[in-house]
Amino acid sequence: MNKKIAIAIDGPGGAGKSTISKAVAKRLGIIYVDTGALYRTVGYYGREHGLSVEDVKVSEKITPMLDDIRIEIKYIDGTQHVILNGEDLGDKIRQPDISMYASAVSSVPSVRAFLLEAQKELARKNSVIMDGRDIGTVILPDAEVKIFMTASDEARAQRRYKELLSKGIEANFDDVLKELRERDHADSTRAAAPLKPADDAHIFDNSDCDFNASVEYIIKFVEEKTGVKAVEK
Ligand code: DC
């Protein structure tokens, strides 16, 4: 049996963290934890309760709501489901405006504190590949594998654009690029746990790498670092 491992994947939106991590998790037989989904869920709750994107950045407005939020993370057939007060949110948290809400709530320290323990707990109990913005720096500082995954703005916007279209969500490339840059700026300049590579993270720029090559690259890196073996495709 493989030993217990923790893999931290950080980086800006659209770098392919979630699709690549999901495939790597499958090959390694470990779980994939999408931490962005948790911030999206809190943002979604704020929106459902009448708050604007600007409102949810205000601690006095969003913090009292946390008392009424119960988030459960479940794995069904290996896929993460986020349950908000008993409701499985599915793709509701993938709408483009929820990305902005998620980025906005994630700047509030009480929200980060609220979500911290659930993330650590998953990694205590399971071998994980966890993606987000502060996994290698804050959530899993002792992870034996830390990768900061990035790509050019245009490459990332192109991927996000295609992903939205494939889900039947209407999108415009220029808007996607603009929103992605705004979010990168907000995520990397906030005071609380800003997006940045951990000092011991390996930087992986996959602008010129397709999906399969990226998956193989990460698997090779993990195998070399940890000694665990992935199953063949
Ligand atoms: O990974 P994503 O696009 O689903 O994340 C949505 C937002 O949540 C992102 O703009 C910043 C925030 N986030 C965060 O602050 N820390 C994380 N670990 C994951 C996401």
Side-chain angles (χ1 to χ4, degrees):
M1 205 178 106
N2 273 334
K3 64 171 186 174
K4 185 162 164 297
I5 55 167
I7 305 168
I9 309 280
D10 290 301
K17 298 188 300 294
S18 71
T19 43
I20 294 167
S21 299
K22 239 180 254 173
V24 170
K26 208 166 175 195
R27 294 268 301 277
L28 291 172
I30 65 178
I31 63 170
Y32 161 59
V33 184
D34 166 9
T35 65
L38 305 176
Y39 293 91
R40 287 173 179 272
T41 300
V42 176
Y44 175 85
Y45 186 91
R47 190 189 70 175
E48 288 299 286
H49 288 78
L51 298 188
S52 68
V53 171
E54 286 308 310
D55 288 339
V56 298
K57 289 181 194 161
V58 180
S59 186
E60 291 72 23
K61 294 191 178 173
I62 192 74
T63 305
M65 288 189 174
L66 299 176
D67 291 337
D68 301 320
I69 296 180
R70 205 181 72 252
I71 298 177
E72 293 162 83
I73 303 164
K74 282 195 180 149
Y75 284 85
I76 303 172
D77 295 334
T79 303
Q80 176 181 314
H81 289 248
V82 180
I83 322 288
L84 168 64
N85 295 337
E87 183 195 353
D88 187 339
L89 292 180
D91 271 349
K92 284 186 188 164
I93 54 169
R94 300 292 152 201
Q95 293 152 10
D97 70 326
I98 295 296
S99 302
M100 296 311 275
Y101 270 92
S103 178
V105 292
S106 74
S107 67
V108 180
S110 62
V111 173
R112 305 201 72 83
F114 176 70
L115 298 173
L116 184 91
E117 194 44 39
Q119 298 171 74
K120 284 181 177 271
E121 174 83 356
L122 280 167
R124 266 197 296 272
K125 291 192 171 154
N126 308 279
S127 278
V128 294
I129 178 165
M130 186 177 281
D131 88 357
R133 305 293 187 285
D134 62 341
I135 310 305
T137 51
V138 177
I139 305 293
L140 305 176
D142 299 328
E144 57 265 70
V145 182
K146 294 185 187 180
I147 294 169
F148 191 84
M149 206 185 283
T150 189
S152 69
D153 296 359
E154 287 73 16
R156 291 187 293 119
Q158 192 61 42
R159 291 174 194 163
R160 199 27 76 83
Y161 174 66
K162 281 195 192 150
E163 187 189 330
L164 290 170
L165 292 191
S166 74
K167 287 186 172 157
I169 300 172
E170 230 176 89
N172 166 290
F173 177 78
D174 290 336
D175 292 344
V176 172
L177 180 62
K178 183 167 163 278
E179 189 237 294
L180 196 122
R181 285 180 169 150
E182 275 173 28
R183 214 146 61 90
D184 286 353
H185 181 73
D187 292 346
S188 46
T189 56
R190 70 180 179 220
L195 166 66
K196 64 167 186 210
D199 291 339
D200 51 351
H202 176 76
I203 312 281
F204 173 39
D205 182 325
N206 64 18
S207 305
D208 299 319
C209 251
D210 68 12
F211 169 76
N212 286 325
S214 298
V215 172
E216 294 307 324
Y217 181 93
I218 304 284
I219 285 188
K220 187 158 174 281
F221 187 78
V222 172
E223 287 181 335
E224 281 172 9
K225 269 263 184 188
T226 66
V228 301
K229 278 273 159 238
V231 296
E232 291 302 318
K233 247 204 306 191

